[in-house]
Amino acid sequence: MPKIIYRFPDDSTRTVQAAPGTSVMEAALANGVEGIVAECGGAAMCATCHVYVESAHLAAAPAMSEDEDVMLDMAYAPRAANSRLSCRLFMSPALDGMEVRLPERQRED
Amino acid sequence: MTAPHLPDSGATVAIVGGGQAGAQLASSLRGNGFTGRIVMVGDDTALPYQRPPLSKGYLTGHSGPEAVRLHGPEYYAEKSVQVLTGDPAVRVLPSDRRVLLRSGTELRYDHLVLATGARNRSLPVPGADLPGVVGLRTLAEADVLRERLASAGRLVVVGGGFVGMEVSSSATALGVRVSVIEAHERVMARAVTPVTSAFFAEAHRARGVRLELGEQVARFLGTDAVSGVETASGRRLPADLVLVGIGVEPNTDLAEDAGLDVHDGIVVDALLRTSAPDISAIGDCARFPTPFATAPVRLESVQNAVDQARCVAARLTGTARPYRPVPWFWSRQAGVRLQIAGLTGGHDRTVVRGDPARGEFSVLCFRGDRLLGAESVGQPATHLAVRRALETGDRTVAQELLDGSFTP
């Protein structure tokens, strides 16, 4: 199964295996990975599952839709070129080993 | 505005209801540093889960029970949150701060939060208890529906609201033939404007859903299991599965029995406090005042459940602030996403921006010159702009949307 590496703000990491088709957000929730809030449950409606793709996998990730693009502007942590909503990052063999960094905060409080 | 908050440790917060609101409250209390005891009780036998996917991806098999669950058991263990599933509260005794559970367990609390949610309204017509007539609110009900959809040829959906239309969409995607019986002359009539109703009606019809509008159910047909539905006008629609989705009633029995103010919902103030000290109410069951409507409202949405939980958690840990987030809501059906910002109910004027024929439009709802909110399809930027404008009270966006000069 493809692996996802979550990097926390304190630089520690946690590796999780996720079946293809599972989103990086779903895998985080299922494994109790702190730092993904996913308030809307994965509908690209809240930007509380914002991550930065730190490895070379960004180009292989699913294309960004307008919804995601707009929501990323609403994310609490600053948006960067490697920002994605983890609910839109569906795992595939091409994303095996992808590392995502979690922002300090996902929302105001 | 001030309100007493709980001591840092040694206090017990009891949460009655294990839905999205209850789970968020537990998690926000811990997130805010609360170290006392947290106990959550509910009648559902599953750990707290998300409801929105139950009518969508969960039915079509895209997501499983793990994916809809909000947190795994290890999360609650790690956070020291006691979750008593399948053991609902049966009585609240506000005068001596006790909750009695069905199992006989007695729970003492320093603060009680009612997050009891709502239950499906039932349809009192002959045949309503036939096998094959189902509702959809819980994960267990979604499992039943999912299993039956796999072998059903024809589904009749009673009620053209959000749940009914979302299930119609999921069932159609599974190859099931779907008819919807709706008493109003248009779908989602209580929640959206005629323009949006018409757009979705067309989108569903294009996918083969039959809409029977302005019709009511007289009875369900069948002997051992449901075989059809007869409408008030005498028409008969064959069915091997019927979903009844005609709205909900808030679960207020406990509150009423405890002597709290109840009026189609547990009545709370701007801080989400009930009429009893030490008891709050949040989520689908609470009726609260809001700057976005002229009268107190009750909202059935994830956003409301989550934000109310955060508001109460903040107050209990020392930061009392009135509840005033902008309500927002979404639905996904017929392959299209609808986004709603604000409470559009009291509008006296609408302006349509974009083009429904292209599947990209927003219906802006005004009362006088005040923007109340908007329904958007394929225009996420407009949706967000309206959400922001309502949040800040800035009238510029409203004006730009009105005169057509708005650019996202």
Side-chain angles (χ1 to χ4, degrees):
Chain A
M1 272 204 284
K3 282 198 272 294
I4 308 165
I5 302 157
Y6 297 90
R7 182 171 291 279
F8 300 99
D10 68 359
D11 242 18
S12 64
T13 61
R14 165 112 181 257
T15 301
V16 161
Q17 294 202 320
T22 305
S23 72
V24 171
M25 174 217 91
E26 287 169 337
L29 292 192
N31 291 280
V33 172
E34 294 272 342
I36 299 280
V37 176
E39 201 168 279
C40 78
M45 282 291 294
C46 69
T48 62
C49 70
H50 176 206
V51 296
Y52 304 99
V53 177
E54 297 290 275
S55 55
H57 295 81
L58 193 60
M64 192 183 293
S65 66
E66 189 197 350
D67 290 342
E68 180 178 350
D69 192 12
V70 169
M71 278 320 309
L72 280 168
D73 287 338
M74 286 279 278
Y76 183 73
R79 180 174 180 169
N82 59 344
S83 284
R84 292 295 306 256
L85 293 184
S86 58
C87 69
R88 302 290 101 179
L89 291 175
F90 297 101
M91 290 309 288
S92 64
L95 296 185
D96 185 21
M98 177 166 62
E99 182 178 313
V100 298
R101 184 162 54 84
L102 301 161
E104 292 271 354
R105 311 201 80 145
Q106 293 283 16
R107 47 181 313 163
E108 209 170 313
D109 62 3
Chain B
M1 208 174 298
T2 59
H5 64 274
L6 295 165
D8 284 345
S9 62
T12 296
V13 174
I15 304 169
V16 173
Q20 186 118 28
Q24 181 66 45
L25 180 73
S27 135
S28 292
L29 280 171
R30 286 294 182 240
N32 294 353
F34 176 69
T35 57
R37 184 179 179 214
I38 302 175
V39 193
M40 180 163 46
V41 304
D43 57 353
D44 208 306
T45 51
L47 284 173
Y49 49 84
Q50 307 172 54
R51 290 187 201 277
L54 299 185
S55 55
K56 311 180 190 82
Y58 191 74
L59 283 190
T60 52
H62 179 261
S63 41
E66 298 255 307
V68 301
R69 195 163 67 186
L70 284 162
H71 303 290
E74 59 289 331
Y75 175 88
Y76 297 104
E78 192 190 312
K79 298 287 178 190
S80 284
V81 173
Q82 246 181 302
V83 186
L84 306 178
T85 53
D87 194 5
V90 292
R91 192 136 189 237
V92 172
L93 303 162
S95 52
D96 51 351
R97 295 188 193 160
R98 275 189 302 148
V99 177
L100 307 182
L101 308 186
R102 189 170 60 195
S103 62
T105 307
E106 185 182 303
L107 201 60
R108 302 193 74 86
Y109 63 80
D110 295 282
H111 197 89
L112 173 67
V113 180
L114 298 172
T116 49
R119 58 178 176 271
N120 287 334
R121 191 174 292 145
S122 60
L123 189 57
V125 301
D129 52 358
L130 279 169
V133 178
V134 301
L136 177 58
R137 179 127 198 112
T138 64
L139 184 57
E141 287 172 323
D143 284 332
V144 169
L145 187 57
R146 177 148 89 159
E147 194 194 310
R148 286 180 180 262
L149 276 175
S151 59
R154 294 163 194 263
L155 167 71
V156 170
V157 171
V158 182
F162 286 110
V163 168
M165 299 319 291
E166 288 169 4
V167 170
S168 296
S169 179
S170 304
T172 305
L174 292 169
V176 177
R177 284 161 69 187
V178 181
S179 300
V180 177
I181 300 176
E182 164 57 48
H184 286 92
E185 294 295 337
R186 58 189 185 89
V187 298
M188 300 180 283
R190 276 172 308 180
V192 302
T193 59
V195 172
T196 302
S197 277
F199 172 81
F200 277 97
E202 202 37 54
H204 282 283
R205 283 195 185 108
R207 287 158 57 106
V209 173
R210 218 169 106 182
L211 300 178
E212 307 286 350
L213 304 175
E215 277 274 26
Q216 294 197 25
V217 173
R219 61 189 179 116
F220 298 112
L221 308 167
T223 42
D224 302 329
V226 73
S227 63
V229 181
E230 188 176 300
T231 68
S233 64
R235 301 186 48 226
R236 290 181 164 212
L237 306 175
D240 26 45
L241 182 62
V242 172
L243 174 82
V244 177
I246 54 169
V248 300
E249 288 162 359
N251 289 322
T252 56
D253 301 357
L254 274 180
E256 220 163 323
D257 179 59
L260 307 184
D261 279 358
V262 168
H263 174 67
D264 182 30
I266 304 168
V267 177
V268 295
D269 65 12
L271 295 177
L272 308 178
R273 299 175 300 195
T274 69
S275 55
D278 312 314
I279 304 181
S280 304
I282 57 175
D284 292 12
C285 69
R287 180 169 291 277
F288 61 95
T290 168
F292 302 101
T294 46
V297 297
R298 201 171 58 69
L299 293 181
E300 297 147 25
S301 75
V302 172
Q303 172 269 324
N304 185 59
V306 168
D307 283 339
Q308 291 199 330
R310 294 169 60 236
C311 180
V312 168
R315 165 161 51 86
L316 295 179
T317 52
T319 315
R321 53 169 195 240
Y323 180 74
R324 65 174 316 282
V326 175
W328 58 267
F329 184 84
W330 85 96
S331 172
R332 188 171 180 86
Q333 40 182 290
V336 181
R337 195 171 66 168
L338 167 67
Q339 299 174 295
I340 301 176
L343 297 178
T344 56
H347 70 265
D348 55 20
R349 186 161 60 121
T350 58
V351 176
V352 180
R353 290 288 167 214
D355 182 6
R358 286 203 328 270
E360 283 180 22
F361 68 97
S362 294
V363 182
L364 309 157
C365 300
F366 292 86
R367 186 168 56 237
D369 64 349
R370 186 177 166 201
L371 178 65
L372 298 184
E375 300 157 357
S376 299
V377 168
Q379 291 192 333
T382 303
H383 167 73
L384 279 181
V386 171
R387 242 158 94 179
R388 282 207 189 106
L390 294 173
E391 236 162 58
T392 58
D394 181 1
R395 297 169 86 94
T396 319
V397 169
Q399 193 48 50
E400 286 177 358
L401 285 164
L402 254 189
D403 65 26
S405 66
F406 173 77
T407 45

